[in-house]
């Protein structure tokens, strides 16, 4: 009889320091400014995450180079995030990088939200970079 090696449910995601990036989920909000309706993104939730770039390339847009890419964002389970799948265009993800002492925010559209390996422990968000 063959034995199988036990694989941890989270594949190491539980390890201290793996969720090492702070991300902000933003929600599209409507406000009235001087009598006109203004649509803008506002901070909704802040989460600790593990971010992994899955694909990416650079393209020429109007004579300027622009990068595109998909990322996989692993966060702790949050039941409120399943609503994103119903209205993906009203949410986006933001995280900051620090290069040469300057903070640069990157914005991503959320394409898909799924529960990671069940049991309501982690969630995976698939996002693409906003140009």
């Amino acid at each position: 009889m063959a034995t199988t090696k036990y694989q941890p449910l989270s594949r190491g995601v539980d390890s201290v320091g793996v969720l090492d990036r702070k991300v902000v989920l933003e929600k599209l909000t409507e406000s009235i400014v001087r009598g006109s309706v203004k649509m803008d993104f506002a901070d909704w939730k802040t989460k600790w995450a593990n971010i992994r770039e899955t694909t990416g390339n650079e393209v020429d847009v109007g004579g300027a180079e622009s990068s595109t890419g998909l990322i996989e964002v692993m966060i702790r389970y949050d039941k409120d995030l399943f609503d994103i799948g119903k209205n993906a265009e009203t949410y986006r993800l933001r995280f900051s990088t620090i290069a040469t002492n300057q903070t640069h925010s990157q914005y991503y559209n959320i394409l898909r939200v799924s529960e990671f390996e069940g049991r309501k422990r982690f969630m995976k968000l698939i996002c693409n970079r906003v140009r």
Side-chain angles (χ1 to χ4, degrees):
M1 181 172 181
T3 60
T4 57
K5 185 177 178 184
Y6 172 75
Q7 294 292 323
L9 177 70
S10 60
R11 294 187 188 164
V13 177
D14 266 342
S15 303
V16 174
V18 172
L19 300 178
D20 60 351
R21 301 290 302 269
K22 189 181 284 192
V23 298
V24 178
L25 295 158
E26 298 179 338
K27 187 175 187 177
L28 192 60
T29 59
E30 182 179 294
S31 60
I32 298 175
V33 178
R34 296 184 188 131
S36 62
V37 176
K38 181 181 178 189
M39 302 296 287
D40 202 6
F41 283 95
D43 292 359
W44 180 51
K45 289 183 178 260
T46 301
K47 299 284 185 183
W48 286 100
N50 177 273
I51 299 173
R52 186 172 68 90
E53 213 167 308
T54 56
T55 62
N57 60 13
E58 292 185 0
V59 294
D60 185 13
V61 178
E65 284 190 14
S66 177
S67 60
T68 62
L70 286 176
I71 60 170
E72 185 178 277
V73 179
M74 191 74 64
I75 60 172
R76 294 207 181 275
Y77 182 85
D78 183 337
K79 65 179 176 144
D80 294 339
L81 299 186
F82 280 112
D83 289 339
I84 292 174
K86 299 173 190 169
N87 301 307
E89 65 279 351
T90 60
Y91 297 90
R92 72 179 180 186
L93 181 131
R94 179 184 85 231
F95 73 93
S96 299
T97 58
I98 299 173
T100 62
N101 296 327
Q102 294 181 358
T103 303
H104 175 70
S105 292
Q106 296 178 350
Y107 296 91
Y108 288 83
N109 292 321
I110 301 169
L111 303 176
R112 187 172 57 245
V113 177
S114 61
E115 189 176 343
F116 180 69
E117 293 188 356
R119 299 193 185 182
K120 298 182 179 180
R121 293 182 67 198
F122 295 96
M123 300 181 86
K124 183 173 21 174
L125 285 65
I126 304 298
C127 309
N128 71 333
R129 187 173 297 136
V130 175
R131 291 193 228 182

